[in-house]
Amino acid sequence: MNISFSFLNQTEVIMMAIVGLLLLFAGFKIKKIAFFILWFLIGFNLVVVFLPALANVMPDIVNDTFWQNVLPLCGGLLLAMFGFTIEKVCISVAVFALTMMITVQYFGTDVQTIIIGAVIGIVLAGAAVMLIKPAIILATALVGSYTLTTLILFFATGMDPAVYYFPLLFGGAALGSIVQFATTQGEE
């Protein structure tokens, strides 16, 4: 796995797990808060993934423990403020970003892989805008499942990510989606 949670303390890990569970099972009910959380997690994870790439450009900043903790929080907060304001843009970009995060994390950063991931992300983002309620439910369930899957695979060192990543991700997202669809019937 590319994502490291070794710099988080126990309280922060528990908070991430709670946030993941909230998004997974109650994303639509708390959609404004969910958008804020969803975008925070996307920004946080993107900065964590790309932090090692910054080591060549800014080695003093990247190697400093303070900045290793602050930069992901800043990235998360910046994207969270954006996502909180614009619902349709938020859901389309969130779906695209989630597609790209899964593409980069699991399939790599080759140009062909990125292009294929981007095309799939654009198609899914367009569908998300047309089907906003199901898209919100699916996106929040996927991000919640992504957060929990990443935490599980990081801390359960005996589990092979190559074997368990997709079953955990999609199994959790399916369970969360079913719960959200069942608990939000008739809500818009």
Side-chain angles (χ1 to χ4, degrees), residues 6 8 13 20 50 67 77-78 81 83 101 119:
S6 58
L8 297 177
V13 170
F50 290 111
W67 289 109
L77 286 173
L78 283 173
M81 287 186 273
M101 282 176 21
V119 168

Side-chain angles (χ1 to χ4, degrees), residues 20-178:
L21 287 168
L22 272 173
L23 285 173
L24 183 63
F25 294 114
F28 188 78
K29 286 208 176 274
I30 58 166
K31 66 181 171 180
K32 288 290 188 186
I33 297 168
F35 283 144
F36 188 86
I37 293 169
L38 184 145
W39 276 100
F40 178 83
L41 291 173
I42 290 172
F44 184 91
N45 285 319
L46 284 175
V47 172
V48 169
V49 167
F50 290 111
L51 204 54
L54 294 174
N56 296 334
V57 180
M58 301 177 285
D60 294 336
I61 291 174
V62 173
N63 294 326
D64 185 351
T65 306
F66 173 77
W67 289 109
Q68 287 176 352
N69 291 324
V70 169
L71 288 177
L73 291 173
C74 289
L77 286 173
L78 283 173
L79 281 180
M81 287 186 273
F82 168 73
F84 187 71
T85 58
I86 309 169
E87 189 172 288
K88 286 186 180 181
V89 172
C90 175
I91 193 64
S92 65
V93 177
V95 168
F96 178 81
L98 180 62
T99 304
M100 293 307 296
M101 282 176 21
I102 291 171
T103 300
V104 168
Q105 182 178 353
Y106 202 74
F107 298 106
T109 57
D110 294 337
V111 173
Q112 291 172 318
T113 304
I114 297 292
I115 291 171
I116 291 169
V119 168
I120 292 169
I122 289 169
V123 169
L124 292 175
V129 171
M130 295 170 61
L131 306 164
I132 194 80
K133 180 182 178 182
I136 291 170
I137 289 173
L138 292 174
T140 56
L142 265 170
V143 172
S145 181
Y146 174 81
T147 302
L148 294 172
T149 298
T150 305
L151 285 169
I152 289 167
L153 292 177
F154 180 77
F155 290 108
T157 56
M159 295 177 75
D160 182 11
V163 173
Y164 292 105
Y165 180 78
F166 283 116
L168 284 171
L169 177 71
F170 293 126
L175 178 63
S177 296
I178 290 167

